[in-house]
Amino acid sequence: MGKEFIWPVRVYYEDTDHGGVVYYANYLKFMERARTEWLRSLGFEQDRLSEQEGLIFVVRSVELGYHRPARFNDLLQVSARVSHYGRASIDFEQQVRRGDELLCDAVVRLAALDAATFRPKAVSPTLTERLEEEGL
């Protein structure tokens, strides 16, 4: 399993419902940001992967568990850890925490696609090399 990447997220008013609780779908947005920043930390920008290598990632499936609510102005830690990768997919285990308290966890499978045809495409060899360097 890969190293855990953690991205801090502050809960803003726009993330909450009328009661000041984070709207359930926004946890997916927080997790998306963490995966994007994880990729960036490895030296890859999604727009460049698309333009230069014709590669995009899309969410194929999500299994999500909600445990406790996040609230307005909370500082959260959103983690992303690669649990498996294949020729044209990457699986992540992700968590949203407030300190030591687990609020939400998920297993997210990304599919690698050709940017022009939306057909499955092998993950870039340069990205695969970086994943191997990270211990995957």
Side-chain angles (χ1 to χ4, degrees):
M1 199 178 301
K3 297 176 188 173
E4 183 177 51
F5 175 84
I6 297 176
W7 185 252
V9 172
R10 175 73 65 185
V11 175
Y12 295 110
Y13 184 76
E14 67 187 23
D15 299 319
T16 64
D17 61 16
H18 180 69
V21 173
V22 170
Y23 182 67
Y24 76 97
N26 287 333
Y27 290 95
L28 293 169
K29 292 179 181 182
F30 299 158
M31 290 178 184
E32 175 78 30
R33 292 175 197 166
R35 289 191 310 273
T36 297
E37 294 302 331
W38 164 82
L39 194 59
R40 184 174 283 132
S41 77
L42 295 179
F44 298 91
E45 298 287 344
Q46 291 191 57
D47 55 346
R48 288 192 199 129
L49 284 173
S50 176
E51 293 164 5
Q52 296 171 1
E53 300 188 29
L55 178 69
I56 61 171
F57 292 103
V58 298
V59 173
R60 185 174 185 280
S61 64
V62 176
E63 182 180 325
L64 198 63
Y66 298 101
H67 305 283
R68 305 199 53 80
R71 300 184 182 279
F72 172 67
N73 214 26
D74 281 349
L75 181 59
L76 308 177
Q77 299 81 39
V78 184
S79 67
R81 179 190 314 257
V82 174
S83 58
H84 177 263
Y85 71 94
R87 184 178 168 280
S89 67
I90 302 177
D91 296 346
F92 285 88
E93 292 180 0
Q94 293 196 257
Q95 295 182 338
V96 178
R97 293 183 168 277
R98 180 179 45 228
D100 292 333
E101 188 177 22
L102 178 63
L103 306 181
C104 181
D105 59 356
V107 176
V108 181
R109 171 165 277 187
L110 300 183
L113 300 180
D114 182 286
T117 66
F118 291 99
R119 305 282 302 160
K121 180 175 181 161
V123 174
S124 162
T126 54
L127 179 53
T128 301
E129 288 172 13
R130 283 294 282 133
L131 292 173
E132 290 171 1
E133 289 172 10
E134 293 291 309
L136 294 169

